[in-house]
Amino acid sequence: MARSKLVWAATSVAAVALLAVAVVFATSAPSATPSEQPPADTVDVAFEYLDGSGGNLADFVGTPVVVNFWASWCPACVAEMPDFEEVHQEFGDEVVFLGLKMQETNPVAAQDLIEQTGVTYLLGRDPDGSIFTEFGGIAMPTTVFIDARGEVATTHAGAIFARDLEDLIRRELLES
């Protein structure tokens, strides 16, 4: 019995000491302000346009970018595409819109969808989903808002339509 009390006491002392070290470390570590945060690596993300030419998000540094991950097999993606086109037309050259089609197995279906929706903004592909994964995508569609410095301002999972898309662009990319 005495031995179990001794083991319990030693374990308790060790746990308290470990907790104290963690608290001291956490409160004494310098905290970075947003301006001190290291820049995101988003400016070095290569992709391929639908015409086969190469592109990179670094090409757009200096202009905010809206990257929308979509697929023809995704009903929510299809539903939001006309709204993205509408907002793209509204903002013109002030904001770059880039749609990256995900894991598309049927290129004819994707092309038919593009023609059907009248999308004119830039379109590329993410055939293996690696860019989607790099941005932390968890649902389809996912939209990533990248500021003019090339840093992710916010990410939206799920469908987003014109009014909310405009609001997010103004709040996260143009007013910040």
Side-chain angles (χ1 to χ4, degrees), residues 94-167:
E94 192 175 4
V95 177
V96 171
F97 281 73
L98 173 64
L100 292 178
K101 72 179 182 128
M102 289 270 306
Q103 303 170 330
E104 190 66 59
T105 58
N106 185 347
V108 174
Q111 191 57 45
D112 288 348
L113 179 59
I114 292 164
E115 291 171 11
Q116 179 185 13
T117 58
V119 169
T120 63
Y121 50 84
L122 299 173
L123 295 170
R125 49 178 78 108
D126 182 13
D128 63 359
S130 60
I131 300 170
F132 179 75
T133 301
E134 188 172 334
F135 281 110
I138 57 169
M140 284 294 287
T142 288
T143 305
V144 180
F145 298 82
I146 302 171
D147 66 23
R149 295 180 310 259
E151 298 175 5
V152 174
T154 193
T155 301
H156 179 85
I160 184 169
F161 297 100
R163 181 172 301 244
D164 292 329
L165 181 58
E166 291 171 16
D167 290 346

Side-chain angles (χ1 to χ4, degrees), residues 8-38:
W8 180 84
T11 304
S12 296
V13 169
V16 169
L18 184 60
L19 181 60
V21 168
V23 168
V24 167
F25 178 75
T27 58
S28 65
S31 61
T33 62
S35 62
E36 296 172 330
Q37 294 288 343

